Amino acid sequence: MNIKRHIPNAITCCNLLSGCLSILFLTCGMPVKAALMIFVAGIFDFFDGFAARLLNAHSPIGADLDSLSDVVSFGVAPGFIMYWLMIKAISKPIVPVGSFELLTFIAFLLPVFSAIRLAKFNIDDTQKTSFRGIPAPGMAIFVASLPLALAQVGRLSDGSLRLGYCIGIVLVFSFMMVCNLRFFSFKMKNLKWKGNEVRFIFIALAVISFAIFRFVALPFIMIAYILLSIFFEGKAIE
């Protein structure tokens, strides 16, 4: 039995487990831990592909397992976090349906469109060095950064992120996941400046911003990723 070829899939399963734990923590009233587990899932998502390339251990089920795990960790889990944020933003039901608030169901467009995004990625051979549409992990990281930033400024429990902002975030990111805009990836053939300008600029901005502002910087780091991708579209990201 060749254990080496199972290592990437084991890491992928850790990604899936992290997404499940994120949902569990949220249902237990621990949104900060739920958000952190999405970041943990992102780390596993990065290293499963890295391990597969390093060990030359690609398997027939690897791509499908990765997509299935990503739907949970970067679709369902952030969808529930956004639902939680919307519930916190509503002092009283606006469009009640039984004991539920209808408008908050919009949050679950995130897992729907992330599933579409991942399915498109699996059949698109033009996304090797850049992405067509923002990757589902990018959306998930932005959503997960919101409770972390709100907790840092002491505004997590008072519904300071208004319902209109939450709906706008859902609609914008749902569109961006399936649009044809190009977003740069972090796969680099070498460490030279030429050809990697946008990646190095983003990494420098991200490190400096997080060092100064910590979790509050995270949503703005993701906005910087979007803006840099749009600005460099068809240039450095190809």
Side-chain angles (χ1 to χ4, degrees):
M1 180 178 180
N2 187 356
I3 297 178
K4 181 178 72 172
R5 69 187 182 91
H6 295 292
I7 293 176
N9 290 341
I11 297 173
T12 301
C13 290
C14 290
N15 167 10
L16 175 58
L17 177 61
S18 299
C20 293
L21 289 175
S22 174
I23 298 170
L24 174 63
F25 285 140
L26 191 64
T27 58
C28 294
M30 296 182 282
V32 171
K33 288 185 178 180
L36 289 174
M37 290 311 301
I38 290 181
F39 283 86
V40 172
I43 294 172
F44 285 125
D45 185 54
F46 173 81
F47 279 106
D48 64 0
F50 179 79
R53 292 187 295 271
L54 180 66
L55 300 173
N56 192 24
H58 300 279
S59 67
I61 69 169
D64 290 336
L65 181 61
D66 185 69
S67 294
L68 291 170
S69 299
D70 286 357
V71 167
V72 175
S73 298
F74 309 126
V76 178
F80 271 98
I81 288 178
M82 182 55 70
Y83 176 80
W84 185 88
L85 289 170
M86 287 183 171
I87 291 295
K88 285 292 181 182
I90 299 176
S91 58
K92 60 181 180 179
I94 301 172
V95 188
V97 178
S99 59
F100 295 99
E101 164 55 51
L102 182 61
L103 283 178
T104 58
F105 292 173
I106 292 174
F108 297 110
L109 288 175
L110 293 178
V112 170
F113 278 87
S114 68
I116 296 171
R117 169 71 181 83
L118 291 160
K120 290 177 64 178
F121 176 80
N122 285 346
I123 61 172
D124 188 350
D125 293 330
T126 68
Q127 300 190 54
K128 301 298 183 183
T129 57
S130 64
F131 300 111
R132 191 182 299 277
I134 193 169
M139 173 277 294
I141 288 173
F142 180 86
V143 172
S145 72
L146 298 176
L148 296 177
L150 290 171
Q152 182 177 325
V153 297
R155 301 295 300 274
L156 181 59
S157 61
D158 64 357
S160 58
L161 192 64
R162 295 184 179 179
L163 180 63
Y165 296 153
C166 293
I167 293 174
I169 289 169
V170 171
L171 296 179
V172 168
F173 274 92
S174 295
F175 166 76
M176 284 197 298
M177 281 191 285
V178 296
C179 73
N180 287 322
L181 285 174
R182 285 283 183 176
F183 292 83
F184 66 87
S185 76
F186 292 95
K187 296 177 182 178
M188 295 186 286
K189 297 179 180 178
N190 54 62
L191 296 177
K192 295 180 180 179
W193 170 260
K194 186 174 177 59
N196 293 312
E197 297 93 339
V198 65
R199 297 174 179 88
F200 286 130
I201 291 172
F202 174 75
I203 291 171
L205 285 173
V207 170
I208 293 171
S209 299
F210 187 78
I212 297 174
F213 301 106
R214 297 177 60 206
F215 293 123
V216 172
L218 292 176
F220 299 99
I221 290 173
M222 287 308 304
I223 292 172
Y225 171 74
I226 294 168
L227 294 177
L228 285 171
S229 293
I230 294 172
F231 180 79
F232 283 95
E233 182 183 4
K235 298 177 184 179
I237 65 173
E238 292 297 340

